[in-house]
Amino acid sequence: MSTKITRSSGKRLCRPRFKNPDEHALKAELVRQIAGVMKGQDLTQTAAARRLGIDQPDVSKMLRGHFRQFSVERLMRFLVALGRTWKSSFVPCLRTRRPPS
């Protein structure tokens, strides 16, 4: 019995996995910060959920990478609720992008 192998066009790998990869990366960083604050304050998921105003299962999902349901703004508010302040600044990009024409 022989197996038929078909050559891929490679286009599947070029498609972005997320609708907005930059926003997804920002959300992932905010969730990483939230997890760090929880660990630093020795907060259980239940205690964190009370502070954040969400249910414990939602905290669990968020920490496991299922955070699409939360906006960037809401994740930032979670950090404020955990006692963090938001400070924003612009830093040089590692990759260059062309400005839209």
Side-chain angles (χ1 to χ4, degrees):
M1 182 174 170
S2 65
T3 304
K4 183 178 178 182
I5 299 174
T6 307
R7 180 177 285 246
S8 168
S9 67
K11 291 182 181 179
R12 182 166 191 230
L13 296 175
C14 295
R15 288 186 299 202
R17 184 171 172 202
F18 303 103
K19 191 174 182 180
N20 186 341
D22 291 334
E23 180 182 347
H24 185 79
L26 176 57
K27 286 181 176 185
E29 174 58 23
L30 292 170
V31 170
R32 188 185 72 76
Q33 294 287 328
I34 290 167
V37 172
M38 287 175 59
K39 184 176 181 179
Q41 295 180 6
D42 252 356
L43 284 177
T44 63
Q45 290 182 3
T46 304
R50 273 194 292 270
R51 283 200 195 174
L52 302 178
I54 60 176
D55 296 328
Q56 179 276 327
D58 290 332
V59 173
S60 176
K61 288 176 196 170
M62 176 179 65
L63 296 176
R64 286 184 288 119
H66 302 280
F67 46 79
R68 283 187 181 179
Q69 73 189 51
F70 301 112
S71 67
V72 169
E73 180 183 354
R74 190 162 184 206
L75 292 170
M76 290 169 61
R77 279 191 265 132
F78 288 168
L79 281 166
V80 170
L82 293 172
R84 294 291 187 224
T85 346
W86 182 254
K87 180 181 177 181
S88 141
S89 62
F90 288 94
V91 294
C93 281
L94 296 177
R95 58 183 176 179
T96 57
R97 290 189 180 174
R98 291 181 141 174
S101 37

